Amino acid sequence: MSSDSPPTEELRRAPAAFTDRVTADGRFGREAVAGRYRLVINRACPWAHRAVIVRRLMGLEDAISLAVTDPLQEVIAGEDHWVFSEGTGSPGGKDPVLGIHALREAYLARDPRYTGGVSVPALVDVETGHLVTNDFDRLTLDLGAEWAPLARPGAPELYPEALRDEIDTLCEEIYQDLNNAVYRAGFAPDQKHYDAAVGAVFGRLDALEERLTGRRYLLGDALTEADIRLFPTLVRFDAVYHGHFKCNIRKLSEYPALWAYARDLFQTPGFGDTTHFGHIRTHYYYVHAAINPTRVIAAGPDTRGWLTAHHRESLGGAPFGAGTAPGPVPAGERL
């Protein structure tokens, strides 16, 4: 659906079109090899943000290169597409590694007959130029586990075996009621669908507020995949979801525990240093013309609040468990 078209039915996300997996042992035909793959993202996209966070926490910057598309999409053949531009470090509007202007070129290189949607994050094979996967759900799990042999010393265990069932259950609840529900509210075709979606959003936020009042992270004393999947929605909440998507019963900053938790994560290496508020506001307010036809981009809120003291360390725990923090952000990726 074009972002210029008003919604006529409830938003439904299509399943990932390409789901090849890259693993440590190559058991599905693709092996995790340093330099072979390029991760294509957009800084505005919460699903892509997850992948960037995991890549940074695991220290995979040298193993998997990063390509950043423009926060504004370009209309190609009547549909919006992720493209590369001078402003995001692509001379001549082409990615310097893949040599393409629009991400859809990697999709078509994989399947010339493909007519479906184009999404980020996308993992692309540098040697062939073919898209490998756009399965955002599986990608972070594999980056955190299957790429572990190429990870930095001290990389955290984000999906520990003993917690996987609990992580999976919690992540599904967060996805249904929050990650995706903010979109269902923003693009609701009528009052009934909006009311249901916004009710789910704040019901989940209320539950998370209670959960995080007495614990530092979602599953105890260290970061897991669950925290990584929650953060991109929280960091976008007051900036775009509260106003632009009409999720305005409360602001994130009005939840004492959640707001402190979100600031704790933001100030942890891998989270705030992968967040680009300028790209977030620009993309949402400009591209979603159906719900913001003037394309006026909001100026706020003031992001300095994200750097204020959170005092969550008093709850104990350590973000990386027995591991260590990642090093500095690579020079070409600093925000």
Side-chain angles (χ1 to χ4, degrees), residues 86-200:
E86 296 272 1
T88 53
S90 297
K94 289 192 174 185
D95 179 71
V97 174
L98 300 174
I100 59 176
H101 172 59
L103 176 57
R104 74 167 186 162
E105 295 173 48
Y107 279 66
L108 294 175
R110 167 72 181 268
D111 180 1
R113 296 173 295 178
Y114 180 69
T115 59
V118 174
S119 64
V120 287
L123 195 66
V124 180
D125 186 320
V126 172
E127 291 186 11
T128 65
H130 292 186
L131 177 75
V132 174
T133 180
N134 68 333
D135 186 352
F136 69 87
D137 189 59
R138 184 73 240 178
L139 182 57
T140 52
L141 298 177
D142 283 347
L143 289 175
E146 296 294 341
W147 286 80
L150 294 172
R152 65 181 176 86
E157 188 177 7
L158 300 173
Y159 194 49
E161 189 76 38
L163 295 176
R164 287 186 179 181
D165 287 346
E166 190 174 357
I167 290 172
D168 291 346
T169 298
L170 183 57
C171 285
E172 180 62 18
E173 292 171 349
I174 290 171
Y175 173 79
Q176 294 294 343
D177 296 342
L178 189 57
N179 299 147
N180 197 46
V182 292
Y183 283 86
R184 291 193 288 110
F187 290 97
D190 53 44
Q191 192 69 47
K192 178 182 177 181
H193 285 92
Y194 166 77
D195 289 343
V198 83

Side-chain angles (χ1 to χ4, degrees), residues 28 47 58 66 123 129 167 187 195 198 214 240 278 288 293 296 302 318:
F28 297 111
W47 322 110
M58 298 299 292
L66 186 70
L123 195 66
I167 290 172
F187 290 97
D195 289 343
V198 83
V240 289
H288 299 156
V296 172
D302 190 338

Side-chain angles (χ1 to χ4, degrees), residues 23 81 151 168 171 177 209 213 218 241 258 262:
T23 61
H81 283 276
D168 291 346
C171 285
D177 296 342
E209 172 73 10
T213 295
L218 286 173
Y241 300 149
L258 260 177

